[in-house]
Amino acid sequence: MQIEAAPTEKRYEKAEGERRGLVIVNTGDGKGKSTAAFGLALRAHGRGKAVKIYQFMKVPSARFGEHRMFEQIGLPIEGLGDGFSWKSQDLEHSAQLARDGWEKARAAILSGAYFMVVLDEITYPLIYGWLPLEGVLQTLRERPRDVHVVLTGRRCPEEIIELADTVTEMKMVKHAFKAGVPAQRGIED
Ligand code: ATP
Ligand code: MG
């Protein structure tokens, strides 16, 4: 490891613009997209802000660590899916759930009742053609100006990336799964 001098100058210029709601995207194929979104939700909740998390690929009854913790602290998280996987039997049903779920999420964003709305794993229903991209873009554009929206999932459509304010690509450097380590409670769920 190379030792270098600690910085002695400010690294960023002072921001001159006005504060407003942001579109934040966590994409890429490494681990951390959803957990980073939950971290933001916790930060906002800690500031007393109203937050709502929608999960497009989780069932309403999911009881992962985050669901247990969010329940304890009173941060609403709602699964909108049917546990879709490669063995999903009824794709039309999954697609319909995604559209119904989107209507809820859309209403929450446009209502202005929330400081932050998290759309966890929304890229998958977009990629599968279950949700029209244009509807999502339009909602993001038309939302009240102070509402922050966080979107997660791999292969985020370019149109959303263009519209977004802050985009992070989680780059897979290593993943334990590739070395044969199975998913573990408290790490994966
Ligand atoms: P996390 O929920 O841990 O933040 P994520 O949201 O970045 O992960 P997803 O694409 O939603 O990742 O993947 C869901 C599951 O796949 C998670 O359990 C995650 O740990 C796992 N995973 C993430 N990246 C990889 C990878 N590169 N290879 C294998 N499994 C992965
Ligand atoms: Mg995820």
Side-chain angles (χ1 to χ4, degrees):
M1 197 198 80
Q2 183 80 39
I3 301 293
E4 56 177 273
T8 55
E9 273 171 38
K10 269 200 228 159
R11 280 177 294 175
Y12 302 105
E13 293 300 313
K14 188 170 176 294
E16 303 288 354
E18 267 184 57
R19 292 192 168 90
R20 60 175 172 77
L22 303 173
V23 173
I24 300 174
V25 173
N26 295 343
T27 191
D29 58 7
K31 181 171 169 62
K33 298 174 287 294
S34 295
T35 45
F38 299 155
L40 272 181
L42 279 180
R43 178 176 278 170
H45 181 79
R47 288 290 188 179
K49 311 286 192 188
V51 178
K52 175 91 192 200
I53 302 174
Y54 290 101
Q55 294 190 288
F56 282 85
M57 302 304 283
K58 296 287 183 294
V59 294
S61 57
R63 298 290 292 159
F64 292 13
E66 52 268 34
H67 303 103
R68 292 158 195 257
M69 195 65 222
F70 288 147
E71 184 179 292
Q72 283 181 38
I73 64 174
L75 198 165
I77 178 165
E78 186 174 338
L80 301 169
D82 60 356
F84 168 81
S85 72
W86 53 271
K87 59 188 170 196
S88 183
Q89 300 291 309
D90 190 347
L91 291 178
E92 188 39 50
H93 181 62
S94 301
Q96 187 58 49
L97 281 182
R99 288 191 289 270
D100 295 346
W102 166 246
E103 282 311 314
K104 285 190 194 179
R106 177 174 178 276
I109 293 168
L110 295 178
S111 74
Y114 295 101
F115 171 83
M116 178 184 291
V117 178
V118 178
L119 306 174
D120 187 36
E121 279 155 23
I122 192 175
T123 62
Y124 305 108
L126 287 169
I127 292 167
Y128 304 148
W130 296 347
L131 288 183
L133 177 60
E134 192 45 51
V136 173
L137 292 169
Q138 194 180 335
T139 300
L140 293 174
R141 285 192 214 103
E142 290 176 358
R143 75 192 195 285
R145 84 183 286 285
D146 292 334
V147 174
H148 302 275
V149 181
V150 185
L151 303 93
T152 86
R154 298 170 190 218
R155 294 163 58 201
C156 185
E158 200 50 50
E159 294 89 338
I160 294 181
I161 288 179
E162 270 165 35
L163 186 149
D165 299 288
T166 297
V167 179
T168 301
E169 182 167 356
M170 304 294 173
K171 177 175 182 287
M172 200 214 25
V173 177
K174 292 175 92 173
H175 196 289
F177 189 74
K178 290 217 162 31
V181 185
Q184 304 185 60
R185 263 192 191 166
I187 300 295
E188 253 71 55
D189 63 22

